[in-house]
Amino acid sequence: MTGNAGMDEVDVVIIGAGMAGASLAWALAPRLRVLLLEREAQPGYHSTGRSAATLHRSYGNRTIRALTAASAPFYLEPPAGFADVPLWRQRSVLKVARADQLEELAHNLEGTLRFVPEARPLDRSRCQGLVPALRSDYVAAGLLDPSMLDLDVAAILAGFLKGARANGAHLRTSTMVEAVQRHGDAWRVAWREGEVRTRIVVDAAGAWADTVAALAGLAPLEIVPHRRTAVIVPAPPDLPTADWPMVEAIDETWYLKPDAGRLLCSPADETPCAPSDAQPEELDVAICIHRIGQAFSFPVPRIDSRWAGLRCFARDRTPVAGFDPRAPGFFWLAGQGGYGIQTAPALAALSAALITGAPMDDPAVDPAALSPARLLHARP
């Protein structure tokens, strides 16, 4: 799809081919002509490719948890032909609290039980029974959510892209959008090598969502990228860790997860930053190792790898999915924070229904809770 003399036309242009854009392209392609544009050489390079890769029903606010619960059936039993490998592995997650955090633990349990009835509190000894390396002078009690899954993010992204292309969607990588302009009842989307005319533009650009909106002449919704750091360290040689649950601090100041014979650790940092190819800061890496050392009894002899990703949030930390009331045909799918993988099927289904006008049978959440209008109305 190139050509500046006589623009090609499609029904929907999706800007951004990470998990959000790919899943929406998959949902729309059977019904509409879809063009998916990605600025990087490969889809999912930024947030999608740097995810901790879990489906965690007791994570995030109430809206996030509802979207996650609605997405779980898709991952547990994906459509025929979606992937050649299983998309998930049972993991569970153990949230641990110090003695001074027991009230916060009780509050978290109350919220978790709404979506995970099988969640249960654990005393110190049971926490250490699951994870013997937890320090007795740190952990006082815990909360076990046995429903958490490890997700194969690469297989999921590939499945969405393969299915979208099989139904006629086109994907262009290494394509930097330079113009998004309204002409009559349609949009013109242009890049260096070409342009296309479309009825609907979907802004699924992740950290660059406000940048894309600016090309369309829209003031930002203030979707702010936040840097998160992760490191891989050796597992303790004297302890089998493969079947450990993911372990999190109840105040979300660190987490640890077995990962292919080693341990993935994070200080759960959220540092606001500009859209970029995020890189880890040495201070955040040091904080991560310090916090893991406070909670666990094993030493960390070295760091095998480190990276950073971007988590993008609206002010209320709830995703944005809906048409912008300021510009006909401009649709936001952004601000998924660290929940984009686990909520993708439900958000794609809801967004596809809004775009096509199809009826929604019992949507996971009220579309008004995700609409960009809520952020515009909340401005002072």
Side-chain angles (χ1 to χ4, degrees):
M1 289 204 173
T2 59
N4 295 312
M7 291 185 296
D8 290 318
E9 292 191 12
V10 296
D11 296 313
V12 182
V13 171
I14 301 173
I15 302 174
M19 192 62 71
S23 59
L24 181 58
W26 179 88
L28 289 176
R31 291 170 282 180
L32 299 174
R33 296 171 298 166
V34 177
L35 174 61
L36 187 57
L37 302 178
E38 171 55 50
R39 58 179 283 151
E40 304 295 347
Q42 63 186 50
Y45 175 76
H46 291 286
S47 297
T48 297
R50 308 180 198 192
S51 165
T54 62
L55 187 145
H56 190 337
R57 301 186 207 201
S58 54
Y59 187 39
N61 64 31
R62 189 163 187 170
T63 298
I64 292 293
R65 295 184 186 197
L67 290 167
T68 301
S71 296
F74 182 97
Y75 290 132
L76 291 169
E77 294 187 22
F82 184 84
D84 298 327
V85 297
L87 299 182
W88 59 276
R89 178 185 184 279
Q90 196 72 48
R91 172 65 62 188
S92 78
V93 57
L94 175 65
K95 301 182 181 184
V96 297
R98 303 186 306 263
D100 61 325
Q101 297 174 318
L102 295 180
E103 184 176 344
E104 185 173 357
L105 181 71
H107 178 73
N108 196 291
L109 175 61
E110 181 181 356
T112 297
L113 288 171
R114 295 193 187 105
F115 296 97
V116 189
E118 62 270 35
R120 61 187 187 273
L122 301 180
D123 60 19
R124 176 190 289 117
S125 65
R126 290 183 178 180
C127 291
Q128 291 178 310
L130 290 173
V131 184
L134 281 167
R135 296 176 62 99
S136 296
D137 58 356
Y138 181 93
V139 60
L143 156 60
L144 182 69
D145 171 359
S147 71
M148 197 191 87
L149 309 176
D150 283 342
L151 295 178
D152 188 333
V153 174
I156 293 166
L157 182 63
F160 282 130
L161 291 171
K162 180 182 72 173
R165 288 194 294 258
N167 282 297
H170 293 269
L171 168 66
R172 287 186 59 100
T173 56
S174 302
T175 300
M176 175 78 74
V177 173
E178 296 178 348
V180 181
Q181 299 171 333
R182 186 76 178 172
H183 287 280
D185 61 353
W187 291 90
R188 169 183 171 267
V189 179
W191 54 96
R192 179 170 297 182
E193 300 87 0
E195 58 186 34
V196 68
R197 181 181 172 90
T198 182
R199 294 189 296 110
I200 295 168
V201 173
V202 177
D203 185 351
W208 287 266
D210 277 341
T211 303
V212 168
L215 292 176
L218 296 172
L221 291 184
E222 300 175 5
I223 307 293
V224 180
H226 293 69
R227 187 179 66 247
R228 170 151 293 186
T229 306
V231 302
I232 296 287
V233 303
D238 56 338
L239 287 175
T241 61
D243 293 327
W244 281 7
M246 182 174 180
V247 189
E248 296 180 355
I250 195 64
D251 59 357
E252 297 188 11
T253 53
W254 58 263
Y255 64 79
L256 174 148
K257 185 169 80 79
D259 185 90
R262 296 180 293 177
L263 298 174
L264 186 158
C265 310
S266 174
D269 49 322
E270 289 183 353
T271 305
C273 61
S276 65
D277 184 1
Q279 300 298 318
E281 299 282 345
E282 288 299 328
L283 177 59
D284 293 325
V285 172
I287 290 171
C288 178
I289 299 306
H290 173 70
R291 290 177 181 172
I292 295 301
Q294 288 182 314
F296 295 89
S297 59
F298 58 84
V300 176
R302 67 180 185 275
I303 296 172
D304 290 338
S305 61
R306 65 189 75 194
W307 69 91
L310 296 178
R311 298 155 56 89
C312 305
F313 293 101
R315 291 188 301 278
D316 58 5
R317 300 180 72 85
T318 295
V320 185
F323 284 106
D324 193 308
R326 302 168 297 178
F330 190 93
F331 192 97
W332 291 82
L333 183 56
Q336 292 91 339
Y339 321 106
I341 311 299
Q342 66 185 40
T343 61
L347 273 174
L350 185 147
S351 297
L354 291 173
I355 288 169
T356 62
M360 283 182 276
D361 299 328
D362 190 23
V365 299
D366 181 355
L370 303 173
S371 171
R374 77 183 195 270
L375 300 173
L376 299 172
H377 296 157
R379 286 179 175 170

